[in-house]
Amino acid sequence: MKETPDFEFLPLQNSNVPLYMQVYNYYKALITKGKLPPATKLPSIRRCAEALSVSRTTAEAAYLQLCADGYVLSRPQSGYYVTDLYVPRPQKPAAAPAKKPEIRFDFASLSADRESFDFNLWRRYLKSALRQDERLLSYGEVQGEADLREAVAQYITEKRNVVCTPDKIVIGAGVQSLLHILCAVIGTPCPVAFLGSSFAQGVAIFRDHGFPVCSSPEDAKIIYTAPSHVNRWGDVMPTSERIDLLRNTAEKDVLLIEDDYDNEFNYFSRPAPALQGLDGGRRVIYLGTFSKLLLPSIRLSYMILPDALLPAYRKIAPLYNQTASKVEQIALCQFIRDGHLASQIRKVKKLYTQKALCLEAAVRQVFGEDTHVYTGETGFVVRFEPATPLRAAELARRAAEAGVAVKAHNLSNGKTSLLLSCSGVRAADYPAALSVLKKICESSDKPANLKN
Amino acid sequence: MKETPDFEFLPLQNSNVPLYMQVYNYYKALITKGKLPPATKLPSIRRCAEALSVSRTTAEAAYLQLCADGYVLSRPQSGYYVTDLYVPRPQKPAAAPAKKPEIRFDFASLSADRESFDFNLWRRYLKSALRQDERLLSYGEVQGEADLREAVAQYITEKRNVVCTPDKIVIGAGVQSLLHILCAVIGTPCPVAFLGSSFAQGVAIFRDHGFPVCSSPEDAKIIYTAPSHVNRWGDVMPTSERIDLLRNTAEKDVLLIEDDYDNEFNYFSRPAPALQGLDGGRRVIYLGTFSKLLLPSIRLSYMILPDALLPAYRKIAPLYNQTASKVEQIALCQFIRDGHLASQIRKVKKLYTQKALCLEAAVRQVFGEDTHVYTGETGFVVRFEPATPLRAAELARRAAEAGVAVKAHNLSNGKTSLLLSCSGVRAADYPAALSVLKKICESSDKPANLKN
């Protein structure tokens, strides 16, 4: 530990920067450029002051600032030393992610339809929420804003016949935030089974909390189901099956989690009653979301807890901060109260019914009039089996390369099934997008890496 | 299972409701009122049609609707039966929560100061974000919007000397959402210790993920620390201690989580360098938030992951949906780019410095000029020990009853310490609020339940 012998002071430049900061910057540059390596002892304050023609107070202020910023360390009765922690670090540029092909037509997305949403109306509600200065100055209620919970309770009770009061509702930014809380409410991990299509984001949360995820509902103490969307093409669980599920699980004292997303989108039938309502709200945890209905970018979901879980929830509630945006909560509350949610559902249903019919017609036009096209009850998604030698993964890959995103599946009969969501592509673009798909389906089955 | 023998049809009322819905409502009323108990067989469609003078198609439509809504169940070759699940349920009114006394002066809150935030400016940015229709139609990036991550990376690198590129940043709605992800990234649970003041919301998340929380840092593989706010009154961990912490934990290969909240609020000193920067970003996970700086109701936090954890994060990232509002992300990004975050910090610092001085002066004025008032380095909070026979809990309770929220603590020397946050009360109200406190402090120590 020695003072660098060849340490030479250069005169400070005239500038508007306070003198002590000039001294500070002088040293900082030397340190970060490696001219003063770690463990080097700095010149004494007295020597520094003399050499740079500044007062000792100025020099000391600079040294203290260097300490505060971690460049040097003060050793009492010894002096100031360059730290070994503040060495210059080459900043690695971020690894550029693999370039994705640009998607022009997105049949795979869950994006909402531009026409489906009245932006100006929503903007008006958000603006009005933004005017509530006083409310926005404080943290929100952990359970969600009381007025929003009231509006949701009233709305969902009327619409879905669920059993619900505002005190049973928990608001969160997305279903995952709510599942985190639910796992904490349940406390002791127990086996969970998912009915129907898998839900990787749900599985992740239960695994995180140490809940084993089992494949058979027979072994489960918690069953997760989305009865308004039981398979990929959006079929609805019939009422009789719902009642059976409640009966079978009642005997074994199983908790049911009803993820009722897409319940609004039963185009071709009146929606089947919610499990939660059929059960009288005793053993069913109901999950709903507004992202699908309004805008995917609005992260607002809710959970209705059964009475039995309320005491446990109240105990842990203060430990879990609210995740949903307060402004959006305030806006949504008034939006519901003014009846816009109900009319938004009617509008979206009408639009998607029309678009699904259009898409069906376009598929028949492009792929042949005898193509069997099936539209799921939820109405978003159209399914058919094109004539193609390609298997699902290769077909989806080539389509993406050509700018069309699709979901494809291999069927047990050796055929390939295409699932197209009608929402994310404009109806006017259906024929063009489908023609691209048709060409890909007809292409001979060259291995991908020989292409080009 | 028999048809009710005394089942008598009453004629339908004339109305605008479709005929089949009139029949439906007719039965629904009988079922929900308990006049048709569970398992009762409904009259045949033919008999119903004759009795109510409607067509058989109308009667059948009504029965199908009753099925769809879960009131009755169709047994093939037998008939329609009232379900036992749809019994009338008395709707319990929500238990009214205990009425809280109204707080006029809130010295306990972390609410922001009304004067501290330029609502009109923020509204302008939100409005501009709301105009980006195309972006709002889709779900956001799971890691957070790319442009916001870029703006945050640049801002925080400059301001806190952390080592950071946008690909290392994860955005979330609050620190808890980020800790959930972090636990999943770390994977295998290992012991966690919290340095300094406890952080119940942090403890909860680690417990949820099965990470044992230990009291001694010696036993921990993860250490959680808030070096910019190491105790209740907001003192800052000095640079030398930071360097020691890094050295000591380096040997034992411990992960450090640096919750850098309040780093902006070091009024009386330049902020000490972030652990993450001192460490070169190797073993430190950095957590930051904008809620404190802008508005508590804005739920926007971020986490900077070290290189070593990035591969694990990329693997699990698709499983965790983004929780933060996309609109607010877009708005904040432009807000930072235009330099408003930096000027907001300057403004808030200035305001709180003034308010803390005002509060100090007001305490001396009301409680006596010789009162020793201590202001924490973070500058929000003023601490003093009033002359009072009351212990902390009773003092805080009585103050709340009188409309003043405070935090109080029992000291080991038998005295009671009051912590007052300067932010949530207007400076003009300090003398009035403190006078209320003074009176309570001087009141004789009658047990609370004898009061009134």
Side-chain angles (χ1 to χ4, degrees), chain A residues 111 126 173 295-300 323 325 328, chain B residues 122 125-126 128-130 132-142 144-148 171 173 299-300 322-334:
Chain A
S111 290
L126 269 182
L295 275 184
S297 55
I298 296 173
R299 305 294 298 153
L300 273 174
T323 45
S325 152
E328 288 176 359
Chain B
W122 179 244
Y125 279 86
L126 271 181
S128 146
L130 281 169
Q132 305 203 21
D133 296 16
E134 214 51 66
R135 257 182 99 172
L136 298 180
L137 281 169
S138 61
Y139 286 94
E141 290 181 57
V142 288
E145 296 302 291
D147 52 355
L148 174 61
I171 306 282
R299 306 293 298 152
L300 273 174
Q322 178 55 246
T323 45
S325 153
K326 197 169 178 181
V327 174
E328 288 176 359
Q329 288 186 67
I330 296 172
L332 179 60
C333 172
Q334 201 53 46

Side-chain angles (χ1 to χ4, degrees), chain B residues 83-310:
Chain B
T83 56
D84 58 351
L85 284 156
Y86 227 110
V87 287
R89 294 174 299 260
Q91 184 74 21
K92 259 192 302 180
K99 198 160 179 307
K100 283 187 200 161
E102 203 198 326
I103 296 297
R104 278 181 307 151
F105 305 119
D106 190 355
F107 286 120
S109 98
L110 303 168
S111 290
D113 196 292
R114 193 198 175 84
E115 303 153 56
S116 75
F117 192 67
D118 187 341
F119 268 102
N120 288 327
L121 182 67
W122 179 244
R123 268 191 279 268
R124 223 158 62 217
Y125 279 86
L126 271 181
K127 280 182 201 170
S128 146
L130 281 169
R131 279 193 289 271
Q132 305 203 21
D133 296 16
E134 214 51 66
R135 257 182 99 172
L136 298 180
L137 281 169
S138 61
Y139 286 94
E141 290 181 57
V142 288
Q143 196 170 348
E145 296 302 291
D147 52 355
L148 174 61
R149 286 187 284 118
E150 204 176 289
V152 169
Q154 200 186 334
Y155 172 79
I156 199 73
T157 306
E158 273 174 24
K159 202 177 134 296
R160 295 294 285 143
N161 253 327
V162 298
V163 180
C164 165
T165 47
D167 60 315
K168 294 179 191 171
I169 292 187
V170 183
I171 306 282
V175 160
Q176 287 189 313
S177 307
L178 297 169
L179 289 180
H180 275 305
I181 293 173
L182 180 60
C183 284
V185 167
I186 294 171
T188 321
C190 56
V192 187
F194 285 73
L195 287 192
S197 349
S198 69
F199 175 40
Q201 277 90 351
V203 171
I205 305 300
F206 284 105
R207 289 239 163 96
D208 284 348
H209 286 258
F211 287 60
V213 176
C214 54
S215 53
S216 156
E218 296 298 314
D219 309 324
K221 293 304 283 177
I222 301 173
I223 291 179
Y224 193 106
T225 175
S228 298
H229 200 135
V230 290
N231 52 25
R232 282 190 290 259
W233 42 92
D235 283 340
V236 172
M237 188 188 287
T239 306
S240 57
E241 264 180 48
R242 292 178 188 231
I243 291 173
D244 284 347
L245 179 60
L246 285 170
R247 287 221 175 94
N248 295 339
T249 50
E251 292 156 17
K252 290 183 262 170
D253 206 24
V254 166
L255 267 183
L256 283 171
I257 302 175
E258 175 177 28
D259 185 349
D260 205 28
Y261 82 101
D262 273 4
N263 79 69
E264 300 86 357
F265 299 115
N266 290 300
Y267 301 109
F268 305 115
S269 57
R270 264 175 63 110
L275 287 170
Q276 203 265 10
L278 287 175
D279 171 55
R282 281 166 296 200
R283 261 182 319 116
V284 177
I285 295 130
Y286 183 91
L287 294 171
T289 178
F290 296 104
S291 305
K292 261 293 184 51
L293 206 51
L294 302 172
L295 275 184
S297 55
I298 297 173
R299 306 293 298 152
L300 273 174
S301 301
Y302 60 96
M303 163 167 78
I304 307 173
L305 290 171
D307 282 329
L309 292 181
L310 281 183

Side-chain angles (χ1 to χ4, degrees), chain A residues 309-337:
Chain A
L309 292 182
L310 281 183
Y313 171 69
R314 296 223 171 92
K315 222 159 149 186
I316 63 145
L319 294 175
Y320 296 89
N321 291 326
Q322 180 54 246
T323 45
S325 152
K326 198 169 177 180
V327 174
E328 288 176 359
Q329 288 186 66
I330 296 172
L332 179 60
C333 173
Q334 201 53 47
F335 190 84
I336 296 176
R337 283 182 178 165

